[in-house]
Amino acid sequence: MTVLRLRGFEIHKTFLDHAAQQAVLGEIRSVVKKAPFFRPETPGGKKMSVRMTSAGEYGWLSDADGYRYADQHPNGMAWPAIPEAVLSIWSTLTGLDRKPECCLINYYASDAKMGMHQDRDEADFRWPVVSVSLGDDALFRIGGQKRGGKTDSLWLQSGDVVVMGGEARLNHHGVDRVRAGSSKLLPKGGRINLTLRVVK
Ligand code: SIN
Ligand code: FE2
């Protein structure tokens, strides 16, 4: 298995083969049936282009009250549990006994993107964040701990898993664009990204 290192992020190319991608996708579909995607707003009042939902004890939210973790979907229900197939990606790659408490699920339609940001709403940055790509290719950009400055980009493909941890845990990152039609995994196209986080 190929592991690339870029700015401290570990990129495990095709960590999930096609069958494993389908298995994870099947579990994510059942989560989304119970906790439908919604389109969050930034604290500044702009609609994000990605659609979001979560699984786990906590889900990540953004709205006029700011960025935060919450124990309920905006519709008032508890988030569904994180699927076993997803937890096992975390355990295999991190070797940690500690389990993530949030699996943020982002859906990117062909025109969606995500601006450069740090993942910093968690209590302890010693835990890594693990990111799973499913569906269309995404141009992923990685910078440093400070905003601005030099960045490097690479295309993430379906089945790739990125570990953002250690010295790189607070590196800025974002998605410039997705390449529509590059994968057949999602029947209606687009890309799903899962990020696993220890919250508390
Ligand atoms: C994120 O940073 O939350 C998402 C990264 C990605 O979509 O690959
Ligand atoms: Fe992020």
Side-chain angles (χ1 to χ4, degrees):
M1 189 132 21
T2 313
V3 183
L4 309 173
R5 283 192 178 74
L6 193 57
R7 301 198 142 235
F9 284 13
E10 266 175 32
I11 299 108
H12 298 258
K13 291 300 292 175
T14 328
F15 182 76
L16 303 174
D17 64 16
H18 189 73
Q21 293 169 39
Q22 281 184 311
V24 170
L25 181 62
E27 303 214 61
I28 293 302
R29 281 208 179 99
S30 352
V31 168
V32 173
K33 264 188 204 145
K34 295 182 221 155
F37 282 116
F38 55 93
R39 202 145 157 230
E41 281 186 10
T42 65
K46 279 196 192 151
K47 278 274 179 206
M48 291 192 180
S49 59
V50 296
R51 280 156 222 274
M52 268 178 202
T53 188
S54 292
E57 205 176 322
Y58 296 100
W60 188 84
L61 293 184
S62 170
D63 59 23
D65 297 331
Y67 299 136
R68 66 191 184 281
Y69 285 98
D71 58 9
Q72 290 181 351
H73 187 279
N75 75 8
M77 58 165 273
W79 307 99
I82 303 177
E84 279 305 321
V86 176
L87 289 174
S88 105
I89 300 170
W90 169 275
S91 309
T92 307
L93 280 178
T94 68
L96 294 167
D97 289 329
R98 179 75 185 249
K99 297 274 183 278
E101 293 135 355
C102 172
C103 173
L104 174 65
I105 305 168
N106 285 153
Y107 176 73
Y108 295 73
S110 60
D111 57 350
K113 56 190 182 206
M114 184 169 298
M116 293 294 279
H117 66 276
Q118 293 172 297
D119 288 7
R120 56 176 314 146
D121 300 317
E122 302 74 30
D124 187 342
F125 302 137
R126 285 173 299 184
W127 304 109
V129 171
V130 171
S131 149
V132 181
S133 292
L134 297 168
D136 284 341
D137 301 352
L139 187 56
F140 187 59
R141 184 186 291 275
I142 310 169
Q145 294 205 12
K146 295 212 179 84
R147 230 190 139 68
K150 189 180 174 303
T151 62
D152 287 297
S153 297
L154 86 165
W155 285 95
L156 292 179
Q157 293 168 304
S158 198
D160 292 353
V161 179
V162 183
V163 179
M164 310 189 266
E167 299 281 291
R169 173 64 178 75
L170 287 172
N171 279 4
H172 284 76
H173 56 277
V175 172
D176 290 346
R177 61 193 166 95
V178 302
R179 192 148 54 188
S182 47
S183 161
K184 290 189 176 64
L185 187 74
L186 307 185
K188 292 181 187 159
R191 170 176 188 258
I192 288 176
N193 174 263
L194 313 175
T195 42
L196 294 163
R197 300 110 183 275
V198 172
V199 173
K200 289 188 277 196

